[in-house]
Amino acid sequence: MPKVKKILILCPYPQGIAAGQRFKYEQYFKSWEERGYKIEVSSFFDMKTWDILYEESNYLLKIIGTLKGYLRRVRDIFILRNFEIVYIFMWVTPLGATLFERLVRKFSRSLVYDFDDAVFLDSNKPKSVNLSIVGGSKAIKSRFLISSSDHVILSSPFHLSYCKDLNIKRMATYI
């Protein structure tokens, strides 16, 4: 019996919710499954947190939802070796240093990093108080993931040369 190939997708939002996720990878699930891959999705934010994330209130619930996301990522660290490919969309965690990104890199067999805009560029101004919860140091996290991934996928040829130059394997493509 052939061994089942498994992909773990680490993403910000629940499946089927965010346009970027639907465009960048969710549309390929059926194709990947037809090629023999089993897909597991681990979103940082659950549906309950997604429903309030961009509201002007519910700060306590947003904090609780974010803490639950970090607990999910701790769990994910322990299962990474069970997957042939770990596919990161945007970031592993929204806030702080690159600790979780480094742990994911260390324990992943093959790491694919996918982003859909210039998240690796520095921006000192959050767009709003609501977006600042997912702001943090995305640029630093993104640059680390670009440099250390086995493959980088991006949505614009504009960033391609930057990513190929930064990536240790010079593996970057855009779709």
Side-chain angles (χ1 to χ4, degrees), residues 10-127:
L10 302 178
C11 57
Y13 308 114
Q15 190 173 331
I17 298 299
Q21 292 179 180
R22 287 192 307 269
F23 170 71
K24 291 296 285 185
Y25 64 87
E26 289 177 3
Q27 67 174 317
Y28 299 110
F29 283 178
K30 183 178 179 187
S31 173
W32 294 345
E33 288 168 345
E34 288 170 354
R35 287 178 173 80
Y37 285 94
K38 181 176 186 254
I39 300 161
E40 185 173 323
V41 177
S42 177
S43 64
F44 185 86
F45 293 113
D46 59 20
M47 198 61 203
K48 186 175 178 180
T49 306
W50 166 260
D51 287 340
I52 61 159
L53 190 60
Y54 296 101
E55 292 180 357
E56 292 289 333
S57 59
N58 293 311
Y59 297 112
L60 180 59
L61 292 176
K62 290 177 189 180
I63 291 168
I64 291 169
T66 301
L67 292 174
K68 285 170 49 180
Y70 276 95
L71 290 175
R72 257 188 300 287
R73 289 301 184 248
V74 168
R75 181 216 56 194
D76 292 339
I77 299 298
F78 290 99
I79 64 170
L80 292 171
R81 288 284 184 205
N82 298 331
F83 296 87
E84 280 67 37
I85 299 170
V86 176
Y87 182 108
I88 298 171
F89 180 67
M90 299 301 285
W91 35 260
V92 177
T93 61
L95 304 170
T98 58
L99 174 65
F100 281 89
E101 287 75 12
R102 290 177 187 280
L103 290 170
V104 168
R105 170 65 278 181
K106 180 176 176 70
F107 295 112
S108 296
R109 294 181 194 182
S110 179
L111 186 64
V112 174
Y113 177 51
D114 189 350
F115 65 98
D116 66 354
D117 57 14
V119 295
F120 57 83
L121 300 175
D122 287 316
S123 174
N124 295 328
K125 298 189 288 187
K127 294 177 182 153

